[in-house]
Amino acid sequence: MTGKKGKPEGYLLAAVPVRHALIVLGDLKQVFLVSYPAIILTLFILTWLIAGRSIRPVEEVIAAAEKITKENLDQRIPLPRHHDELYRLSTTVNALLERLQEAFQREKQFTANASHELKTPIASVKGTLEVLVQKPRELEHYEERILFCLKELDRMTKLIDQLLMLAHYESSGLTVSMEPVDLAHHIREAIVRIRSDADRKNIPVSFDGPHSCIVWADPSMLDMIFENILSNAIKYSPSASTVAVSLSNLTGFPVCSIADNGIGIPEKQLSLVFERFYRVDVSRNSKTGGFGHNGGAAIPSYRQFRQLIVSPFKPAFIPV
């Protein structure tokens, strides 16, 4: 307290006991020590459960993808219920698996067909030679059998050349040699090359078209295409029938048509005519030889004719 002269004459002390505050702080400390680990543990468990439930669809997608191998490419990843990002991912992966399955099946079928086509002439040549060495025969018989073996070897050589061309095209792309060529001349040359096969079946091959028709194309591919189609027309036509080849110019575009009296192709199988080694008969036997089967179908339009030139190669036919 302050006196009359402004000097302190005494002091007043006021105090509050802190015992209750210390008790409260002690209790709070105990609560924190007990509740904090419990809260942390509870939050961890809840977070783990929520996260596990959230990534469960991802785990299912991973597990389903790990089970898919080349032996079961037909299996697909189950689609989630919700159309979210995971649903889009699953749909994309399923589409990829679909394309892989189709490609794998094509390659598997191609390998089987190529192996079958190569084994057929080899087996024919081997069987013929085994018969020849069993006992002496007349000279004419030897000549006939040797010519047969040469023909089978020529067929196998052509098949190997086409297989190499396809392999080269799929590995690094096929380079075409584009140049102006006479389409009518190549058709006539192809008819000459298959004339012997046509004569054996008494099938006349006629050609109706202009003397010259210049196009921009690859000559070797043109020869391969015309020879294959004409060869199939001869193979799958009955004896004493006819094969007619015509070349005309409609609306400025050359149109080539090859018509015969062959067995034809069912409408439901027309989309398969460009499949390698495709044959209409299910057994795919090679009694008729060749590398495929067009069923003797004519080429009724320029677009279909151009597709024959293009497939399976790069564009090789452009009218000029």
Side-chain angles (χ1 to χ4, degrees), residues 25 62 90 94 108 186 312:
L25 291 176
I62 295 175
S90 302
N94 285 340
K108 185 177 180 180
H186 281 267

XYZ file of all heavy atoms in Angstrom, residues 25 62 90 94 108 186 312:
56
model
N -4.869 -31.059 -15.072
C -3.818 -31.344 -16.048
C -3.342 -32.793 -15.958
O -3.060 -33.431 -16.994
C -2.646 -30.388 -15.830
C -2.897 -28.911 -16.166
C -1.673 -28.072 -15.798
C -3.237 -28.754 -17.648
N -6.081 -57.029 -61.513
C -4.718 -57.563 -61.577
C -4.735 -59.086 -61.528
O -4.020 -59.761 -62.284
C -3.873 -56.978 -60.437
C -3.696 -55.464 -60.619
C -2.515 -57.666 -60.368
C -2.976 -54.791 -59.467
N -10.580 -51.409 -67.732
C -10.924 -52.811 -67.971
C -11.444 -53.014 -69.388
O -11.095 -54.002 -70.058
C -11.963 -53.273 -66.950
O -11.495 -53.112 -65.629
N -9.698 -55.380 -72.207
C -10.460 -56.438 -72.869
C -10.417 -56.291 -74.386
O -10.321 -57.283 -75.115
C -11.907 -56.424 -72.380
C -12.047 -57.008 -70.979
O -11.179 -57.749 -70.515
N -13.118 -56.669 -70.304
N -1.731 -68.698 -85.808
C -1.790 -70.142 -85.573
C -2.380 -70.858 -86.776
O -1.856 -71.898 -87.215
C -2.624 -70.418 -84.318
C -2.661 -71.883 -83.912
C -3.454 -72.063 -82.628
C -3.505 -73.524 -82.214
N -4.292 -73.704 -80.950
N -0.187 -58.221 -119.562
C 0.022 -59.115 -118.424
C -1.093 -60.152 -118.326
O -0.832 -61.293 -117.921
C 0.101 -58.292 -117.134
C 1.419 -57.639 -116.919
N 2.431 -58.211 -116.191
C 1.920 -56.447 -117.352
C 3.484 -57.418 -116.163
N 3.200 -56.329 -116.859
N -2.771 -58.498 -99.786
C -2.476 -57.865 -98.506
C -1.324 -56.886 -98.594
O -0.606 -56.689 -97.634
C -2.091 -59.071 -97.653
C -1.346 -59.943 -98.637
C -2.007 -59.730 -99.971
